[in-house]
Amino acid sequence: MTMSNAVPIFLALALSFGAPLLSLAALPAATTEEGPVLVVGAPWRDLTELVRASGARPIGPVQAPFAVLADADAGARERLASSHTWAVLPARALAKLCGA
């Protein structure tokens, strides 16, 4: 593969992955809202364990590679936001990510 072929491929990948992440970044943090939260983090971290360590409860039987749903009170949300997570968003972020 030449450099001239790599640039369009890189741009296509960046747009494919960047657009959903930008839509999530536009949402406000979930530190003040009631209801479930979407905890987003690195795939090499055990997000379920981070959720439990913060005092929150994971929702669902499995964790996605980059996120986990959690039932968290305001204190747990603050602890999650200051831990090794990329974002703590309202769970309605899933609907926005899916285009609803």
Side-chain angles (χ1 to χ4, degrees), residues 41-58:
W44 54 86
R45 294 225 179 254
D46 186 355
L47 293 177
T48 303
E49 186 54 40
L50 282 174
V51 165
R52 287 190 181 112
S54 74
R57 183 180 59 87

Side-chain angles (χ1 to χ4, degrees), residues 11-27 38 40 66-67 86-87 89-90 92-100:
L11 288 175
L13 287 172
L15 289 174
S16 297
F17 290 107
L21 294 176
L22 286 175
S23 69
L24 288 178
L27 290 172
L38 180 66
V40 183
F66 287 96
W86 292 344
L89 305 168
R92 65 182 164 77
L94 283 175
K96 183 142 181 105
L97 184 63
C98 296

